[in-house]
Each structure stands twice: as structure tokens, then as C-alpha cells.
Amino acid sequence: MSTITNIRDASSEGDDSMEDGGSSIYERLRDDIIHGRVKANERLKVADLASRMGTSTNPVREALQQLRGEGFVIMTPNRGARVRPIDEEFVRDICEIEVLIEPALTRWFVGIVTKEDIEELESIQAEIEGLNFADEMKHSNLDLRFHKLMYDRHYNRHAVDLWMRHRHILWAISRRFPTSLSRQSNVLDEHRELLACIKAQDADGAARMIGRHVEGSGRHIIERMRLARLTAP
Amino acid sequence: MSTITNIRDASSEGDDSMEDGGSSIYERLRDDIIHGRVKANERLKVADLASRMGTSTNPVREALQQLRGEGFVIMTPNRGARVRPIDEEFVRDICEIEVLIEPALTRWFVGIVTKEDIEELESIQAEIEGLNFADEMKHSNLDLRFHKLMYDRHYNRHAVDLWMRHRHILWAISRRFPTSLSRQSNVLDEHRELLACIKAQDADGAARMIGRHVEGSGRHIIERMRLARLTAP
DNA sequence: GATTGACAAATAATGTACGATCTGGAAGCT
DNA sequence: AGCTTCCAGATCGTACATTATTTGTCAATC
């Protein structure tokens, strides 16, 4: 229970009031939860967190309240906050929701797509194929740009926000594990097929494709999580 | 811009430290936003709210953070909080999401439904038909019980939570307006047909039915909102 | 004379410190 | 053993200090 956020402080050694490099308390806590640095259902004591973060208690309390609103922590009156377990169930849950939402967003995108959009998508896709998973970080950014381009102009901002939130969570989790080779080739295939459907103005096909894509990603992450849990508990 | 939460203080007159009747600051603020007592994009000043609520600023700040997590207020650093507009767009957005989620939840329910469940659903439906919209409040509760029974045992807690949140918002909004007679009869019809599909183990039919039900409710609320906005701006 | 720029004062958000209140568990009593 | 009492620890609320933003004024320039 010692190192939670201090894990990444290895570089800046015994430094209390570290000038936080742009990351807010909220983000730090959120990352600690998503990355599993705090155990499931573990109690989060504001005083502890405050000293660990190098601030007073008030910012921590507000961060916790925000996290409660987003469902990452569970708070009971006069009894503090506990972390919601980010386990395979959680991933499955949000993936299932995405399987419902993303096809709808995609279907709409096919209806409004322009020649320029397709060109940009293809250029992104070319970049993705170019680096071929050499840099996971870069790949993730490109992948995000790919999907963001499709969804960003959608009128349903609420749905897009939901997608973004889920996406960030999944991305943070999947960053813990490497992507298997088979999944890598599947991702490339799925993107290619998706592009083909978009170009052909086949909304149903594109929706079906994105559904498969999301489901595949989710399944892959869950398998990796299960594996990691079994090998190194 | 004077009376926001004080509207309901009319009864307890000039009483500073009113023993709040179970409603937390968070709930008060949330209701004020949903019910449109605060104008869209209006700035929420913590000091104002604190004095209005009869407390100090800290509880207000935490409530605002929670609301931010849930997307009801938008906060920018060093610039405070603004209320997210709860307009027709907002309702349309969450209804569209529900149109995607609820059919999936319903489909699963049809797969695990027992004889006892159906009996209880029918008893609730009988009660609903019995009071025939005489008491909107009671009707809402029964309607909630009806759908809750279907969704509550679903394994995807995240999706069910989302549904619950959306449901509460919609309910709070629709409470502002009376339900039209035509919509009333439609609701009854839709429930009846839904029950028939469930009894017949017709998952696709039930899903289609609930989709129509949600869409109809959403459309009705939006129309009412538009009407109210046009008649009394 | 009107516009724009900088500077200063007000206003409001953010952070810190401390006291009040509640919970949980351990020690003591029947 | 079971119940009560009490104390340590943590949360929650209040007050205050600090910092950032906004506003208003005045002067300099076009």
C-alpha cells in the first residue's frame, strides 16, 4: 500500500512538492485506478492522498467527487471513498456499450462523408500500416485520429463524449499489455474493410465492421487481463 | 436570477439553517439544472450558491465537481462552472443512446425471464392500467418498477447504471409537462405488446418494441419542451 | 475626439489550516 | 460471552490566505 502515485516519481526522487508536469490530481488518481495501481475496493483516505500528492486535502476531495460522478470511486457518507474495481467485467461492460454506440455513429458518418474525409482516413491508415505497430504510442494516437475523424462531427455530443471516455479508459488499460501479433493483423484488416465499406457507401457493412472491430478489441484486452491475472497475481 | 433553490423554501420562510429534508446540496443543484431553474450556460458562483444553500463553500465545490463528472456542469480552470444546457438537443441525445441500449437489455431479459417475472410484470401493468394516468407520480413509479424488473438482474451493471441515470433525467424533465392523451394510450399499448412479445419468447420483437417505446417517449418530451419554449419563453 | 493600451482594484476561484462530527474497534464492565 | 464506553482516526464543514481573472479607469496615441 506504499507506492501508488509515487511509482512514477522514481526519477524525481525524494522530492515533496514536485512541480506536477501538467497532470492534475484528478488525472493522477484516475490513472492510478485505471492502471490498477490501487487494489480493487481499496479505501482511499484523503489525508494519505493529500500528503502523497504534496497538496492539502481539499483538492483531493474535489478530485474524488469528480471521480465519483464518473463512477470510478464509490463514496458513502462519513465513510470515505473506495475504488471501483477495474476488472474484466468492467471492460466487458463498457465494450458492450461501445458495440452498440459506435456502429450507430459510424452509420451516420457514412451518410455525410466527403471525398476529403476519405482521403484523410486513407492517409492515416497508410501511416498506421507504415509503422506497423513499431511504436504502440504512435499507433494509438493514429488510431484515435482515425476514429475521431469519423465521430467528431456527429450531432450527438453526448454519445461522442461517452465514446471518448470509454476510449480513454480502454486505452489506459490496454497500455499495460502488448498487442498480440494476430490481433495486430486483424486490426489492420478491419480498418481496411471499414474503409472499403465507407467508400462504397455501404452504411450497414461499415456498422457491422466497426461492431466486429470493437468486439475484437474488447475480447483481446480481456484475454490479456485474464492472462496477466493468472500468471502474476 | 434571484430565486433558484429558494423557490421551494417558500414554506419554511426566513430560516437560515433549515434542516434539509434529506436532500443534499448535490441533489438540489442537480434538480435546479434539470428542471431548468438555472438558465443555460449560466455561471455558477460558489459563494452565491453557498450562501443560498446556507452552508460554506466547500460542500458546494464538491457537489459541483460531482456534477461535472456526470456532465451536468462544465468547469474551466480558474474560471468556475457553467451549467450545461438541458435543452431538446440534450434530451434527443440521451434518448438516442437509450434507443440503442434498452433493446439490448430487453433482449437479454427475454432470454432469462421466468414465469414469476411475467406474473409480476402483468400485475404491475394491471396497476398501471388501473389508475390510468390519474396520478402522474404513481404512474412514473410503476413504470420505473416495470422496467427496473427487466433490467435489474442484467450482468452489465455499467449499462444499467447509465440507463438509470438517463431515466432519472428524463423523468425530472417530463415532470414539468403533462402527458398528452394520445401518448398515454400509446404507452399502454406499447407495454401490452412488449409483454406479449416477452411471453412469446420473441426477443427480437421485444427489442423492437422497447426501441419504439423509448423513441416515442423521447419524441413526446421533446415536442412538449419545444411547445413550452415557444409559448412562454 | 475616439480608440487602444496598460495598470489597478474588485471579484471569484483555488489552496491551506483547523475545529466539529461521525465511525470503528478495542478495552473494560456486568 | 455480550454489552457498553471511550478513544483513535478519518471525514465533513467553516474560516481564511493566495492566486488568477475580470473589470473599470485613465492616459497616451492616432
Side-chain angles (χ1 to χ4, degrees), chain A residues 3-182:
Chain A
T3 51
I4 292 183
T5 311
N6 288 348
I7 288 174
R8 79 168 70 75
D9 290 359
S11 55
S12 64
E13 48 156 356
D15 172 15
D16 282 40
S17 64
M18 58 169 282
E19 313 302 317
D20 77 318
S23 63
S24 63
I25 290 178
Y26 158 76
E27 281 170 342
R28 285 210 237 169
L29 274 170
R30 184 168 155 283
D31 278 10
D32 285 339
I33 293 172
I34 292 177
H35 285 99
R37 282 186 218 107
V38 286
K39 289 200 295 287
N41 286 103
E42 180 171 319
R43 189 165 173 192
L44 294 173
K45 293 181 242 192
V46 285
D48 279 11
L49 296 174
S51 66
R52 195 169 287 129
M53 300 284 181
T55 69
S56 85
T57 65
N58 224 347
V60 175
R61 298 201 303 211
E62 292 181 11
L64 284 176
Q65 290 292 348
Q66 192 182 346
L67 289 167
R68 153 151 111 163
E70 292 175 353
F72 286 110
V73 304
I74 296 164
M75 301 186 73
T76 39
N78 291 322
R79 225 184 273 194
R82 311 186 91 84
V83 313
R84 160 170 285 189
I86 306 292
D87 49 13
E88 290 113 68
E89 262 199 17
F90 184 79
V91 173
R92 181 206 57 195
D93 286 358
I94 63 180
C95 279
E96 275 187 16
I97 294 174
E98 284 313 300
V99 167
L100 297 172
I101 291 178
E102 293 205 40
L105 296 178
T106 301
R107 184 173 285 120
W108 186 81
F109 174 70
V110 174
I112 61 126
V113 71
T114 67
K115 206 184 288 276
E116 290 78 33
D117 293 331
I118 292 181
E119 276 167 19
E120 186 162 353
L121 282 178
E122 280 180 328
S123 113
I124 297 174
Q125 173 68 5
E127 263 192 272
I128 289 178
E129 306 223 15
L131 65 85
N132 194 39
F133 292 89
D135 185 344
E136 284 260 5
M137 187 73 183
K138 254 190 186 130
H139 172 85
S140 265
N141 280 335
L142 286 170
D143 196 66
L144 180 64
R145 260 182 63 202
F146 189 96
H147 291 93
K148 213 165 147 63
L149 176 69
M150 294 204 301
Y151 303 148
D152 235 6
R153 267 172 299 162
H154 199 279
Y155 58 88
N156 193 332
R157 302 313 305 162
H158 210 265
V160 176
D161 282 357
L162 201 61
W163 167 73
M164 264 300 234
R165 273 233 295 274
H166 288 172
R167 164 106 207 170
H168 278 139
I169 296 171
L170 292 178
W171 180 75
I173 295 174
S174 69
R175 225 160 53 97
R176 283 192 263 173
F177 319 105
T179 311
S180 78
L181 286 171
S182 74

Side-chain angles (χ1 to χ4, degrees), chain B residues 166-224:
Chain B
H166 288 172
R167 165 103 207 173
H168 278 138
I169 296 170
L170 292 177
W171 180 75
I173 295 174
S174 69
R175 225 159 54 97
R176 283 192 263 174
F177 319 106
T179 309
S180 78
L181 284 173
S182 74
R183 178 72 202 137
Q184 288 182 10
S185 65
N186 279 347
V187 166
L188 294 182
D189 282 349
E190 285 159 9
H191 269 207
R192 268 194 290 266
E193 281 197 55
L194 177 62
L195 256 170
C197 288
I198 293 170
K199 275 205 276 196
Q201 286 286 298
D202 177 11
D204 287 332
R208 214 175 316 122
M209 209 58 235
I210 202 84
R212 251 207 289 277
H213 183 58
V214 173
E215 198 180 326
S217 299
R219 201 194 307 280
H220 182 257
I221 294 175
I222 290 172
E223 273 170 25
R224 289 277 147 176

